[in-house]
Amino acid sequence: MHEVEYLTIHGHRRAFVKVGQGPTLLLLHGLGCDHTTWEPVIDMLAKRYTVIAPDLLGHGLSDKPRADYSLGGYANGMRDLLTVLGIDRVTVVGHSFGGGVAMQFAYQFPERTERLMLVASGGLGPEVSPLIRAITTPGYHQLMGVLTLPGVRHVGLAGMRALYGTGWKLTRDLREVAEIYDSFKDPHARAAIRHVVRAVVDWEGQIVTMADRAYLTDAMPMAVVWGRDDRVIPVRHANNAAALAPKARLEVIPNAGHFPHKDHPQRFAKTVHDFVRTTQPATYSRSKWRRLLRDGQVGPVSPVAPLASVTDVTSA
């Protein structure tokens, strides 16, 4: 585990890990997770890069206030954290909900974004796990309060971990799900997660998409990584990315679920390094941005290429 540092910005304490030297990678975790989701890859990445892995507001060791939990609010928070740390430009890597924050950061602050990498990201299609949709329903907070009572929670955690231990593809992600479930024992964390989810999901699925602004990715290098066996956000959303951003680099990793960076950390770290090594960082041009905004065409929401066209990468 890496040493956690703290900064208070806008009156709220924000936790983060900062290690390594070199070009900066900003690693953004998913819903209900924290910086520890990146632990398997941090040291490998820190050999070449300055790695910053924050706990988003409402998560982990950061404060959980009644606050703005929108994608735009999170993007602003990341800009302010980087500003206080004296970092001007980053390659931003976002997992799941963190992918939505990463896209929003790149959209709001293109002058500070060198590259964009999305890992099993939200915002590329409507489908999402029923468990996430359930968070938006009335009574979620009260029900989860009962389900996280000590005795009930311990039984639930034991069951999830036992199912994970079977090695089934369908239960591959239950170890991480169990950690998220355990964090819900904190009522402030439950309330924060509810606000986060309601900003991007309703009962029918995801309501925020990059489809109408995907053409802006022409201005910067973009990569998309997915686990073939993802049961949280379907791998076919990688196909949507191929349709929305044809210039993006795509990799679907076999024998990996919703957390490919944990299932195959060496492969994932190599993928990140290859992406950074073989692409030039974006340079912001107001005239180019103006031209894209004026002439950009909204891409299709449905996939236009078969999934077989997406590169399969075996684990190292």
Side-chain angles (χ1 to χ4, degrees), residues 80-284:
D80 296 342
L81 175 64
L82 293 172
T83 299
V84 174
L85 292 174
I87 295 171
D88 292 327
R89 292 167 54 79
V90 298
T91 293
V92 58
V93 181
H95 171 245
S96 196
F97 173 75
V101 178
M103 285 187 278
Q104 189 69 26
F105 181 90
Y107 170 60
Q108 291 181 199
F109 311 113
E111 73 282 1
R112 305 190 71 161
T113 308
E114 295 185 335
R115 301 171 189 83
L116 174 64
M117 175 176 276
L118 307 177
V119 184
S121 176
L124 294 171
E127 298 90 354
V128 72
S129 165
L131 291 176
I132 294 178
R133 294 202 304 270
I135 293 175
T136 67
T137 59
Y140 149 80
H141 190 74
Q142 293 76 11
L143 176 61
M144 193 55 65
V146 173
L147 293 178
T148 53
L149 290 172
V152 179
R153 186 176 78 254
H154 294 155
V155 171
L157 290 172
M160 289 181 188
R161 288 164 179 160
L163 287 171
Y164 166 77
T166 64
W168 243 10
K169 286 185 178 181
L170 291 175
T171 61
R172 179 191 305 278
D173 294 324
L174 279 184
R175 179 176 58 179
E176 286 75 21
V177 172
E179 294 174 2
I180 295 170
Y181 170 47
D182 190 43
S183 73
F184 282 6
K185 63 181 180 288
D186 179 353
H188 298 292
R190 292 200 302 272
I193 294 300
R194 179 178 58 183
H195 287 300
V196 171
V197 174
R198 286 182 173 178
V200 294
V201 172
D202 63 16
W203 181 245
E204 296 182 8
Q206 298 184 59
I207 56 178
V208 178
T209 173
M210 71 174 288
D212 60 344
R213 282 168 271 182
Y215 64 87
L216 294 174
T217 58
D218 281 351
M220 70 181 61
M222 175 177 165
V224 179
V225 179
W226 227 282
R228 166 79 57 184
D229 303 324
D230 193 332
R231 304 295 173 181
V232 178
I233 302 178
V235 65
R236 62 178 172 272
H237 287 203
N239 236 23
N240 293 353
L244 294 167
K247 295 181 181 180
R249 184 176 304 187
L250 294 166
E251 292 185 357
V252 174
I253 303 179
N255 197 31
H258 188 57
F259 299 82
H261 52 291
K262 300 185 82 167
D263 291 332
H264 299 295
Q266 290 181 326
R267 176 72 254 174
F268 183 83
K270 183 177 185 298
T271 297
V272 173
H273 176 56
D274 287 346
F275 175 51
V276 174
R277 179 179 57 84
T278 60
T279 56
Q280 290 296 317
T283 54
Y284 176 70

Side-chain angles (χ1 to χ4, degrees), residues 6-120:
Y6 298 92
L7 283 171
T8 298
I9 302 174
H10 308 312
H12 305 311
R13 188 179 77 157
R14 300 170 188 267
F16 63 97
V17 163
K18 180 175 180 288
V19 293
Q21 290 184 330
T24 302
L25 300 177
L26 176 64
L27 307 183
L28 303 179
H29 63 76
L31 185 73
C33 299
D34 56 33
H35 73 274
T36 60
T37 192
W38 301 110
E39 282 289 347
V41 299
I42 286 178
D43 283 339
M44 286 183 279
L45 294 174
K47 293 177 181 178
R48 295 185 174 99
Y49 308 102
T50 298
V51 177
I52 299 176
D55 287 354
L56 296 174
L57 202 66
H59 295 72
L61 298 174
S62 289
D63 282 348
K64 302 168 180 64
R66 186 173 182 272
D68 179 6
Y69 289 111
S70 66
L71 289 175
Y74 275 121
N76 290 340
M78 291 302 96
R79 174 205 57 194
D80 296 342
L81 175 64
L82 293 172
T83 299
V84 174
L85 292 174
I87 295 171
D88 292 327
R89 292 167 54 79
V90 298
T91 293
V92 58
V93 181
H95 171 245
S96 196
F97 173 75
V101 178
M103 285 187 278
Q104 189 69 26
F105 181 90
Y107 170 60
Q108 291 181 199
F109 311 113
E111 73 282 1
R112 305 190 71 161
T113 308
E114 295 185 335
R115 301 171 189 83
L116 174 64
M117 175 176 276
L118 307 177
V119 184

